[in-house]
Amino acid sequence: MKQFILKLDDNRQRPVVLLSNGLTALLDTGAYIPVWTDDEDILVSDMKAELVKENVPLSGFGGSTYGNLYKVNIDIGGIVYPNMHIIANNDINATFNLILSATMFEGLIYQIDTVNHVLSVDIPDHESNIRNLRVESKDGKQYVLCSGQVIE
Amino acid sequence: MTERLTWEQIQKKYPDQWVGLVDVRYRNNDGISVESAVVKYKDKTKSELTRMVLKGEIVSRHTNPEGHLQLGAVEIL
C-alpha cells in the first residue's frame, strides 16, 4: 500500500488541495466528473489541454448547462492523471481553479481529515498511482471510467 | 505594496475579491494555508492571477473562499 498525503487549506471549510503547479482544487465527493472552473483559454493555452468534444451536457443543483470536454495532464500530489477528461465550465463563482470528482479516486482509499487538515489517499498494491480517467459513451449515456494504468 | 499582512487582515482589507500574494508564509509550513503575505495584486481578475500562478510568480487566493453557498454534485447527463 502506498500512501499520498495532501494538505488541506486550513483557511477553508471545504476540502481544497494544492496541485503541484500551484492551482487549487476542491475535492467534491458529489461530483461525477472533474470540472475546470477557470478561464477555458488557460486550460488550452497554459495547461495544453486538447478538446475532445464540444457542448457536453452536465447538471448540478444549479440546473443544467453545457461545457466543452478536454483531456489534460493533472498531478495531484504524486497521483498522476495523464490525458484526464475534464469539462470546462466557468459558470459558477468558484474560489478555486478546478473540481476533483469522486470518480477520480475509484479503486483507491481516500480520507478527508478535517482535524489534521489532510487528504490521505492510499493506493492498494495492485493499483498504480498513474490513473486513467475518461468519459465514455454507451447507448446514448455518458459514463466516467477510472482505473490504474500499468506502466511497463 | 510591501506591507506584510496576516490572512485575516488581508480578508478585511480586500473583502470578497481575488488577490495575488507574494512572500507568503503558511500555517505550520503546510504550503497551502496562508498565514501572512504581501498583497502584490488587488485589481486583477481570477484568470489574470491564475496565469501568474502557473508561471510561479504569485500565490492566488479569494478572500471570501466560502462566501457563496455552493452545492456540489456535478454530473454529466
Side-chain angles (χ1 to χ4, degrees):
Chain A
M1 188 92 77
K2 284 181 290 186
Q3 187 173 60
F4 294 77
I5 301 286
L6 292 96
K7 299 287 186 181
L8 299 177
D9 190 340
D10 196 7
N11 292 325
R12 300 176 187 252
Q13 290 178 288
R14 292 178 287 179
V16 169
V17 297
L18 190 72
L19 305 190
S20 55
N21 56 12
L23 299 183
T24 50
L26 171 74
L27 173 55
D28 184 348
T29 57
Y32 190 50
I33 181 151
V35 181
W36 176 257
T37 56
D38 207 319
D39 189 336
E40 192 167 333
D41 184 57
I42 294 175
L43 189 61
V44 176
S45 60
D46 297 73
M47 301 284 289
K48 309 300 180 194
E50 293 179 33
L51 181 66
V52 175
K53 188 177 180 182
E54 290 184 312
N55 295 321
V56 174
L58 63 152
S59 74
F61 281 110
S64 299
T65 185
Y66 291 85
N68 294 332
L69 181 65
Y70 288 88
K71 58 181 180 180
V72 68
N73 297 327
I74 295 284
D75 182 338
I76 303 168
I79 305 172
V80 182
Y81 296 81
N83 295 314
M84 182 186 81
H85 283 190
I86 187 168
I87 288 184
N89 185 285
N90 200 14
D91 287 350
I92 65 169
N93 193 17
T95 58
F96 38 81
N97 303 109
L98 66 155
I99 293 172
L100 310 178
S101 63
T103 47
M104 293 177 67
F105 300 93
E106 182 79 31
L108 309 180
I109 302 159
Y110 65 99
Q111 175 177 271
I112 299 168
D113 179 346
T114 61
V115 175
N116 298 300
H117 306 288
V118 295
L119 165 67
S120 63
V121 182
D122 292 336
I123 300 182
D125 291 338
H126 61 278
E127 293 280 355
S128 169
N129 67 312
I130 314 293
R131 312 302 296 173
N132 186 16
L133 183 143
R134 61 196 66 250
V135 176
E136 301 278 351
S137 296
K138 187 179 179 185
D139 299 330
K141 281 195 160 190
Q142 312 276 353
Y143 297 90
V144 174
L145 305 174
C146 189
S147 61
Q149 180 175 319
V150 177
I151 302 298
E152 297 293 339
Chain B
M1 285 179 282
T2 56
E3 182 187 16
R4 170 170 293 282
L5 300 173
T6 66
W7 177 240
E8 290 74 19
Q9 289 171 326
I10 293 169
Q11 288 180 292
K12 194 171 181 180
K13 191 169 182 178
Y14 307 104
D16 204 24
Q17 66 172 89
W18 285 90
V19 289
L21 309 173
V22 294
D23 198 9
V24 180
R25 291 178 190 159
Y26 297 99
R27 296 185 205 281
N28 302 314
N29 291 316
D30 69 358
I32 183 169
S33 310
V34 176
E35 182 177 70
S36 67
V38 173
V39 178
K40 186 171 183 179
Y41 300 107
K42 58 179 177 58
D43 50 4
K44 302 284 188 188
T45 64
K46 176 184 178 182
S47 56
E48 286 174 323
L49 294 173
T50 297
R51 284 199 161 87
M52 288 188 261
V53 168
L54 289 170
K55 291 175 184 169
E57 296 173 352
I58 60 161
V59 166
S60 174
R61 292 287 187 276
H62 195 280
T63 58
N64 190 11
E66 314 292 8
H68 306 276
L69 294 176
Q70 293 174 337
L71 299 170
V74 178
E75 64 177 7
I76 49 176
L77 298 173

